[in-house]
């Protein structure tokens, strides 16, 4: 087992059984969350250098890590004890990086400050302009 998602407010923990997991409402996902506000393919979770990362697969209701919304399409590192919100459903991520191969400084995520030089529509993922 590679860790677990502990539902905030109670409930059964969700074991993380593989190092790459698709999360969503569709039955073909590795972690199926049967809530109407969860997208069919909501998120991708994967381990890199002993740390879990999450990527929003352009979900309708988004993902937050520690209360901060992540940019769709970019990966965000989720450290042990961080809170992960898929739509309005909160989980605490529990794992031990050293048991998953972590050594030294944690890897960087792609969730830097991408707001500079982008319009509000681009930051929200709503800019439909064609790129030439």
């Amino acid at each position: 087992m590679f860790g677990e998602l502990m539902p905030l407010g109670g409930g059964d923990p969700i074991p993380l059984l593989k190092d790459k997991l698709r999360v969503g409402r569709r039955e073909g996902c590795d972690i199926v969350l049967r809530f109407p506000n969860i997208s069919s393919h909501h998120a991708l979770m994967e381990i890199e250098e002993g740390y879990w990362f999450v990527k929003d697969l352009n979900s309708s209701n988004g993902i937050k890590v520690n209360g901060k919304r992540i940019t769709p399409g970019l990966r965000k590192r989720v450290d042990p004890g961080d809170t992960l919100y898929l739509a309005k459903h909160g989980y605490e991520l529990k794992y031990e990086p050293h048991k998953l191969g972590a050594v030294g400084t944690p890897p960087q995520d792609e969730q830097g400050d991408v707001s500079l030089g982008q319009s509000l529509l681009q930051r929200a993922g709503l800019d439909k302009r064609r790129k030439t």
Side-chain angles (χ1 to χ4, degrees):
M1 190 163 78
F2 296 94
E4 55 189 4
L5 291 172
M6 301 293 294
L8 300 178
D12 294 330
I14 299 169
L16 305 176
L17 301 175
K18 301 188 313 188
D19 60 358
K20 187 173 184 178
L21 301 162
R22 186 176 295 267
V23 182
R25 198 177 64 242
R26 188 156 292 175
E27 287 298 321
C29 292
D30 300 300
I31 297 175
V32 178
L33 300 175
R34 293 180 181 91
F35 301 109
N37 60 348
I38 296 290
S39 296
S40 296
H41 297 280
H42 201 96
L44 180 67
M45 294 180 65
E46 60 186 327
I47 296 174
E48 180 183 314
E49 297 180 38
Y51 288 86
W52 278 103
F53 282 78
V54 65
K55 182 177 183 178
D56 186 336
L57 298 175
N58 295 314
S59 66
S60 298
N61 294 305
I63 297 173
K64 290 182 181 178
V65 175
N66 295 329
K68 186 175 179 183
R69 188 174 181 111
I70 67 169
T71 304
L74 296 182
R75 297 180 331 133
K76 170 75 177 135
R77 191 179 72 234
V78 186
D79 292 327
D82 282 355
T83 57
L84 175 65
Y85 278 87
L86 303 165
K88 299 285 184 189
H89 307 281
Y91 302 89
E92 179 184 348
L93 184 55
K94 293 193 172 218
Y95 71 101
E96 298 179 49
H98 68 277
K99 289 186 177 179
L100 302 180
V103 178
T105 306
Q108 294 296 309
D109 55 38
E110 298 169 349
Q111 187 63 31
D113 186 6
V114 296
S115 62
L116 299 177
Q118 288 187 328
S119 71
L120 289 174
L121 289 174
Q122 288 171 321
R123 282 187 266 165
L126 300 173
D127 187 9
K128 302 290 184 202
R129 287 185 278 180
R130 287 188 212 185
K131 295 179 182 173
T132 56

